[in-house]
Amino acid sequence: MESVFYFAVPVFFMISGVTLLDYRERYSTKVYFQKRFFTVYIPFLFWSIFILFYSLILGRISISDLSFASIIDGIINSKFLSFYWFFMPLFAIYLSIPIISLIPKNKRKTIFEYIIGVFFVFNSFLPLVFNLLKIPYNSSLYIPVLGGYIIWIFIGYYLDRFDLNNKSRKIIYILGILGLLLQIVGTWFFSYQNGYVDQMFKGYNNLPSWLYSSAFFLFIKENYHKLNFKGILSKLISLCEKETFGVYLIQYYLMEFFILVLHFDPYSISYRLGASVLIFFLSVFIVKILHKIPIIQKLC
């Protein structure tokens, strides 16, 4: 199940590329940063501090262990709540987009193809091959301008903006299925041999995720109208689209309730397939209520 839903983080970054890379056509860079600051940065700081006080109240953190440095460490390195690791690479991407957006539109197709191809070879494919062969991969071969998760900005924009011929689409879909199977079967095989969950085929920039997430994004883009049976999918999205960021921010507390109070086993099928869906919609309901509170609505 983890492998099947592994596309979530890469696809989110891809959508960020689609929606933000052409921001200059709508507003200035100053407005761009103002929007990011008030809609993402401030909520991140608020909820990071909130989880700190939550942990203090429950006795998970002692106030005597806190210092200015430890508080900054806890926020920046997501030590108070590991869920919030996602914000740091997101902030890095937001800072990079104004530079990438300066690439002329008439040159983006060629430049993006080069960038995606170079990343695929040196940052994704070769590291996995060397790992399988148990040969140390020279980290100097990683393309430095494509560090972190920035590659997903290029992939998302490319797949959304430029048409692919039928042959290319079929190849992407076949590789996507192979990527998913590689992560599932490869992880099972090496985990069974080693006696622990092997991470060789994990990682959002790793080859399996790279292939699968790209194919999944393309599939949704091309088949949304078919999946949107009688507008049901659109209605479901419109029901919770404004609350999804808030869901990400508060879901941890409901998860704790289900695990610690209701005694759900977090590794059980009932929790992963049933409780997770219930937690999502409960979170949506709670966020809708919070959005009615003037001050809090800006924080989620």
Side-chain angles (χ1 to χ4, degrees), residues 61-250:
I61 298 176
S62 172
I63 195 166
S64 61
D65 295 330
L66 292 178
S67 64
F68 178 76
S70 67
I71 293 174
I72 298 300
D73 180 32
I75 294 174
I76 297 298
N77 295 305
S78 307
K79 290 184 177 179
F80 298 141
L81 183 58
S82 60
F83 283 17
Y84 292 168
W85 72 268
F86 189 76
F87 281 102
M88 291 304 111
L90 183 62
F91 294 162
I93 285 176
Y94 284 163
L95 291 170
S96 302
I97 282 178
I99 301 172
I100 300 171
S101 66
L102 292 173
I103 299 175
K105 275 196 168 185
N106 61 340
K107 296 182 180 180
R108 284 184 183 177
K109 188 174 188 297
T110 302
I111 293 174
F112 284 19
E113 285 174 348
Y114 172 79
I115 289 171
I116 294 169
V118 166
F119 179 93
F120 173 79
V121 174
F122 293 100
N123 289 31
S124 185
F125 177 73
L126 286 180
L128 179 60
V129 171
F130 273 63
N131 200 2
L132 288 169
L133 295 174
K134 300 187 184 303
I135 301 173
Y137 185 69
N138 191 328
S139 60
S140 296
L141 287 172
Y142 284 109
I143 308 303
V145 295
L146 297 176
Y149 297 100
I150 196 67
I151 185 61
W152 296 109
I153 297 298
F154 297 101
I155 296 174
Y157 189 91
Y158 186 89
L159 292 177
D160 184 72
R161 292 294 196 275
F162 305 116
D163 292 328
L164 301 173
N165 58 47
N166 194 45
K167 181 180 178 181
S168 297
R169 291 199 300 272
K170 287 181 178 179
I171 291 174
I172 291 175
Y173 288 142
I174 291 171
L175 290 175
I177 294 171
L178 291 175
L180 175 60
L181 292 175
L182 184 61
Q183 184 173 152
I184 294 174
V185 178
T187 301
W188 168 81
F189 179 79
F190 285 104
S191 298
Y192 184 78
Q193 282 193 332
N194 299 330
Y196 56 84
V197 179
D198 189 271
Q199 299 294 316
M200 184 179 297
F201 296 99
K202 297 296 182 180
Y204 294 117
N205 285 342
N206 204 353
L207 182 66
S209 170
W210 203 89
L211 297 175
Y212 174 51
S213 301
S214 300
F216 183 89
F217 180 91
L218 181 63
F219 176 79
I220 296 297
K221 178 209 166 189
E222 295 191 329
N223 296 278
Y224 176 79
H225 63 288
K226 297 177 183 177
L227 299 171
N228 188 30
F229 181 69
K230 293 185 178 180
I232 293 176
L233 186 57
S234 291
K235 292 177 182 177
L236 184 62
I237 292 173
S238 63
L239 177 68
C240 57
E241 63 180 341
K242 294 180 181 179
E243 287 74 34
T244 50
F245 180 50
V247 169
Y248 174 71
L249 291 168
I250 73 163

Side-chain angles (χ1 to χ4, degrees), residues 35-44 87 90-91 94 245:
K35 286 177 174 289
R36 307 287 82 72
F37 181 80
F38 290 108
T39 60
V40 181
Y41 299 158
I42 295 299
F44 162 70
F87 281 102
L90 183 62
F91 294 162
Y94 284 163
F245 180 50

Side-chain angles (χ1 to χ4, degrees), residues 21-38:
L21 204 52
D22 289 330
Y23 78 85
R24 294 178 186 275
E25 297 176 357
R26 303 187 297 275
Y27 41 73
S28 67
T29 299
K30 179 181 178 180
V31 173
Y32 165 83
F33 280 116
Q34 287 175 341
K35 286 177 174 289
R36 307 287 82 72
F37 181 80
F38 290 108

